[in-house]
Amino acid sequence: MALASEAPKESFRLSMLIYDTRYRSMTIQVVVLILVLLFVGWLADNTIQNLAAKDKDINFGFLWNRAGYDIEQQLIPYTNDSTHGRAAIIGLLNTLVVAFFGCVFATIIGVFVGVLRLSNNWLVSRLMTVYVEAFRNVPLLLWIILVFVVMSETRPQPRDFRVTDEMIASGTEPAAKMWFWDSVAVTNRGTDLPAPVLDRGLGSIDIGSVPVNLSVLLTLAVIVASVLANRALLRRARAIQEETGERPVTWWKSLAILFLPTIALLMALGFHLDYPVFKGFNFQGGISVMHSFTALVIALSLYTGAFIAEIVRAGIMAISRGQSEAAFALGLRPGRTMSLIILPQALRVIIPPLISQYLNLTKNTSLGIAVSYLDLRGTLGGITLNQTGRELECMLLMMLTYLIISLIISSLMNVFNSSVKLKER
Amino acid sequence: MSNSYVRTQMLPPQEAPIGERGAIKWLRDNLFSGPLNSLLTILGLLVVFYLVKLSLPWWLNSVWNANSLGECRDIVAAAGGESGACWAVIKARWHQYIFGFYPQDAYWRPVLAFGLMFVALAPVLYWNDRKGAIMVALTAALTVLSMVLLNTPGTVDLVAIVIMAALFAVAWLMPKKLIFVTLLYPFVAFFLLWGGPVWKGVATLLGFAVIVVVYRLLQSRLGVVVATAAGVVAAAVYWIVLQGYVTGALTAILPIGLPAVSSDQFGGFLLAFIIGVTAIACSLPLGVLLALGRRSDMLLIKTLSVGFIEFVRGVPLITLLFTASLLLQYFLPPQTNFDLILRVIILVTLFSAAYLAEVIRGGLAALPRGQYEAADALGLDYWQAQRLIIMPQALKISIPGIVSTFIGLFKDTTLVSFVGLLDPLRGVTQIVRADINWKGIYWEPYIFVGVIFFLICFGMSRYSMYLERKLKTDHR
């Protein structure tokens, strides 16, 4: 009986590095690694040479030097004596504020338009299609600039709002009027809105040179507490319903729990609105919002809203008709079908692309440069960069910050996504 | 006698009730089917009415012939209108919106390059040969017509007619050969747009000839991979060391070429098209490679791809453009100075390649595993499997995403104004609005630019829908 012969011993040949699949991937990776290292080394060498030629070094010390420029919109105290680092933080906060309002409004617009585009009302669905196509196919930059230019060139000057005694006596109207019962004034300089003011505020404490308003903190705490209490109420109602089959009436209790504590707290703190009033040459009191901010928020939310509308529409259409038919067969009303059957399933389809739209919106806030909005790019990557001449450090910090914001948003939304995702076992 | 109550004929069908036919039925079904719908309809009508009331007089009182905004307003006021559009600004400045500061007597060059682009695209966009030929004919006619309208010298017109006629003949008789036009097009377009001696492009092309020659010589002895690598290395050596001498020698022997145009003279939609088209063409292959890299089994390749994609997707395009204009001087050898348009194109390409990679990765993930296994079972190697089985299907699935990335890229070409290039939206409009004659004008230039962008982007999205329908092979 012949023994099975052993497999012939293959001697290693050099060509096996390329033609043998066992070694090929190693070869490729080694070659790529060498090339990448060479490339990085080349870049680093060039950078060192160029820095030496320009007599520069890499040093982040400039962040602690005096900035010397003013920023109009500031959420935490800042003067031109503050440091470049603080200016960068102001810019970051400005970026985040625009991104926040943009995301909120874009979501509201997107959901409305997306649902209305599916409506069987011919006129409304056509109008919504026109809106979506118009905004998706024209550059965002155009909308930002157009809104800004229209606001700052068509609106009257502040002095046109002046009402003198002679005008009252003769009964002539001023050239321009405020809107919403004399509470909002849109001039060519900015928008003046009523400001919320507390007579008996709790003051503020400084945490690391950032003042934290205690009244706001307390109000937020009360709101969170009432939402939690409302949840407890609803949970109890459900427990009773499951036990006895009858659901206790909760709507007025819910309303009371949600709103009464906050209203009571605000009354206790002496809450009222401070209206902008025309005095001298400009409006005094209230909050003045710059047109660059308004234009950015309007353009970003309309533009992103068009994309979100398409996402919402696609999400609702992705749910098969059988689902709503089954819900109707169970005897659910259309509203409950939407909230209990369609939306929870549609959300699963909607959320991942929605996340990337939020990310896009956040990144697109950097277009504020077109209307001189001082966001992160305007402060750290703009004035600070030009003043100190430290391009490498500023760009590096700026890119890192954007990268971190993106990663945070996407991970937060991924957590949310995994909580609504279909639980598969 | 007969039973007279049994009818022997069919009655003619009665007309439907008035509420169930014609316009009334349509109105009831589509506009007033319930209280909520009626309310929405009325709201919609109000919105439309308000918009029309606001803008119709403005459109109707349009002024086309004037030398300044003040003159426009006078004409509108003389006609008794309150407000009117002043399209005269577009009439006065259209050439800047289209060509930037490109020399006026050379406008035929971008036009010809633009026309040739559609010829070069014919084999890519249409695989129906007759349609491709018709498109070439149409493009040829339009190109020559616009060249004549732009007062191009007669000899140049004649040359263009001859070239276009030749291309049409190729498209009609041997449509498959048109792919060579596509391959040559980048060099032709570069030569037409930037000018300079014709030998630059020819000498660069010789490099590709070097690759082919080296590959042919070595392939039988060393195998495909080594031969290709040797060819690429030889070509790289040729491009870096020898090409300059070859160009110089050829130019000295036979100095033919076009007057050179420097990059800062480019602007308007010409610039948007150069950046957009080049970046679209380059980013697709790069995106495919990145997507494959991200799904690769090789750890190093995968890490590099993921790192690149996530970094690029995490930062705004503006920061990358600023990198191109501010930081590249640090990363390149001292005293290198290369063209800003080229730098911007490279960065925009890398940017959209990262987004494309994610879109294509989605397409790859959507393919059933059976397809990969079937390819393996047939004994195809990696690249064969990708080329013949995986990519055709994955790319087909991801067409909508790919095209919307392209649309985004084209819209993003407007951002180059922030690094000092003259884009149509911000760059040119700023110049126009800074002119004392047109100070204070805003709706007209933005509407003009917006409409052109809309037409191009909308056209692209419609084309992608057509392509999807065309490529659909599943059961209907």
Side-chain angles (χ1 to χ4, degrees), chain B residues 68-181:
Chain B
S68 69
L69 185 60
E71 215 174 291
C72 267
R73 288 188 177 148
D74 291 343
I75 294 173
V76 172
E82 261 189 23
S83 65
C86 185
W87 299 110
V89 64
I90 306 299
K91 206 175 166 186
R93 297 303 190 100
W94 66 271
H95 53 91
Q96 265 181 355
Y97 275 105
I98 307 292
F99 299 107
F101 289 111
Y102 207 84
Q104 293 235 1
D105 52 348
Y107 278 172
W108 62 271
R109 283 157 56 177
V111 171
L112 186 59
F114 188 68
L116 287 175
M117 181 180 84
F118 283 95
V119 178
L121 280 177
V124 184
L125 293 186
Y126 292 98
W127 45 98
N128 178 332
D129 295 333
R130 283 286 166 266
K131 258 189 194 168
I134 292 168
M135 184 159 122
V136 170
L138 205 67
T139 313
L142 284 177
T143 310
V144 172
L145 184 70
S146 26
M147 282 173 71
V148 172
L149 287 179
L150 284 168
N151 295 327
T152 314
T155 45
V156 176
D157 282 338
L158 216 61
V159 173
I161 291 174
V162 170
I163 292 175
M164 286 298 186
L167 286 174
F168 175 68
V170 172
W172 190 258
L173 299 172
M174 317 172 272
K176 293 282 172 290
K177 294 276 186 290
L178 217 53
I179 196 79
F180 288 105
V181 178

Side-chain angles (χ1 to χ4, degrees), chain A residues 71-75 87-100 290 293 296 365 373-376 379:
Chain A
I71 302 175
E72 231 180 287
Q73 178 183 317
Q74 49 201 42
L75 296 180
I89 292 173
I90 300 270
L92 174 63
L93 287 174
N94 285 348
T95 296
L96 292 178
V97 166
V98 170
F100 174 75
M290 291 186 307
F293 175 82
L296 259 184
T365 55
Y373 181 70
L374 285 182
D375 61 348
L376 183 66
T379 55

